[in-house]
């Protein structure tokens, strides 16, 4: 498959790009608002993989062109720019393409991180509202720590939760996610359940802040 990571120049985009390029033979495409930044990051990811003996071709483009070249488009951008990013690339999306939202809205105060639920119900729902009707949105990867993903020496052994209203698209994303070694997907239900999934992320960060020795936490449901 051809997977575009919009904002693939950032933390979670880097982790997903490295893992997919390392563990699979899918085409990984880095998107950015700045095509030069996308190309430079793509080269850096290729170089890191080459050091590990994996020859991978990763291309970088502006977000619109990255989306145009892909079947699967990951919205690896800050939560309150998910909707405008979808709108910016909407003419590059074809019927049957799948958007993946890993985004979680959070705010921080003296007590720690808190889930910041948008009026639409969840950030995943914001993506649904912005997406063309013939493009399914699946929520996935919300509760993964980017630093753990991008450290290819780190074993994952964790779960990621899927939410979505299109069963076929959810199955496709589940397969793609499980092709990352050490990642198991669990079905958390429909888009209406996305807030429950997104709200786990600040909990994981607060646990890491308050417990020495814990960092880059993930969840394994057993
Ligand atoms: N970091 C994590 O551990 C983690 C884990 C799970 C989920 N997430 C979710 O994944 C998403 C990305 O997180 P991140 O930590 O990777 O974020 P990030 O590194 O802060 O940003 C990712 C990319 O977003 C793009 N961006 C920045 N401002 C933008 C804007 N105004 N409009 C459009 N694009 C913009 C930038 O790419 P260009 O400048 O190249 O365009 C940037 O490299 C977030 O929604 C977050 O909730 C993060």
């Amino acid at each position: 498959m051809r997977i575009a990571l919009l904002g693939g120049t950032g933390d979670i985009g880097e982790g997903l790009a490295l893992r997919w390029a390392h563990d699979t033979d899918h085409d990984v495409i880095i998107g950015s608002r700045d095509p030069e930044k996308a190309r430079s990051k793509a080269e850096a990811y290729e170089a890191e993989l080459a050091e590990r003996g994996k020859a991978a071709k990763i291309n970088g483009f502006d977000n619109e062109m990255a989306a145009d070249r892909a079947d699967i488009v990951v919205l690896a951008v800050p939560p309150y720019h998910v909707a405008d990013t979808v709108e910016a690339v909407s003419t590059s999306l074809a019927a049957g393409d799948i958007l993946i939202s890993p985004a979680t809205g959070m705010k921080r105060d003296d007590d720690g991180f808190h889930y910041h639920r948008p009026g639409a119900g969840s950030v995943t729902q914001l993506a649904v509202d912005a997406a063309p009707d013939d493009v399914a949105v699946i929520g996935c990867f919300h509760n993964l720590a980017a630093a753990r993903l991008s450290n290819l020496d780190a074993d994952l052994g964790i779960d990621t939760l899927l939410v979505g209203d299109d069963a076929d698209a959810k199955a496709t994303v589940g397969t793609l996610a499980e092709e990352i070694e050490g990642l198991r997907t669990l079905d958390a239900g429909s888009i209406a359940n996305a807030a429950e999934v997104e709200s786990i992320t600040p909990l994981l960060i607060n646990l890491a802040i308050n417990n020495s020795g814990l960092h880059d936490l993930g969840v394994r449901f057993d």
Side-chain angles (χ1 to χ4, degrees):
M1 302 208 78
R2 296 167 303 170
I3 308 168
L5 295 142
L6 310 189
T9 53
D11 295 340
I12 194 79
E14 174 174 2
L16 289 170
L18 288 174
R19 292 278 174 173
W20 268 320
H22 185 266
D23 294 349
T24 78
D25 290 322
H26 297 301
D27 279 352
V28 174
I29 303 162
I30 303 304
S32 168
R33 292 166 297 172
D34 171 359
E36 192 43 53
K37 184 177 172 189
R39 278 190 284 276
S40 148
K41 281 288 187 174
E43 279 170 21
Y45 302 160
E46 281 180 350
E48 178 166 353
L49 291 161
E51 274 176 25
R52 293 169 176 273
K54 174 84 184 186
K57 181 69 200 144
I58 302 179
N59 290 303
F61 300 102
D62 64 40
N63 283 333
E64 291 88 339
M65 201 171 290
D68 188 48
R69 287 168 184 251
D71 323 292
I72 307 288
V73 177
V74 183
L75 301 162
V77 298
Y80 299 107
H81 294 289
V82 161
D84 49 87
T85 299
V86 174
E87 280 156 14
V89 304
S90 64
T91 56
S92 301
L93 299 170
D97 285 354
I98 299 172
L99 289 170
I100 300 177
S101 176
T104 285
M106 289 186 287
K107 55 187 173 184
R108 184 179 196 175
D109 62 19
D110 291 345
D111 297 313
F113 285 81
H114 307 278
Y115 181 52
H116 191 219
R117 185 176 186 153
S122 66
V123 181
T124 314
Q125 182 65 51
L126 291 175
V128 173
D129 293 344
D133 288 344
D134 51 7
V135 172
V137 175
I138 302 297
C140 191
F141 308 123
H142 299 96
N143 314 131
L144 303 183
R148 184 157 165 186
L149 264 190
S150 54
N151 175 5
L152 294 174
D153 291 324
D155 290 331
L156 295 181
I158 48 178
D159 294 330
T160 187
L161 304 176
L162 292 163
V163 285
D165 294 338
D166 180 316
D168 291 341
K170 196 193 271 182
T172 299
V173 174
T175 301
L176 276 179
E178 291 207 341
E179 287 180 86
I180 294 176
E181 212 177 302
L183 211 53
R184 180 180 71 166
T185 59
L186 293 175
D187 188 345
S190 67
I191 296 283
N193 296 348
E196 284 69 27
V197 174
E198 294 174 9
S199 65
I200 295 172
T201 304
L203 169 66
L204 297 178
I205 298 172
N206 291 333
L207 288 170
I209 291 171
N210 290 302
N211 294 273
S212 62
L214 289 187
H215 56 89
D216 301 332
L217 294 177
V219 179
R220 180 81 181 176
F221 293 88
D222 208 351

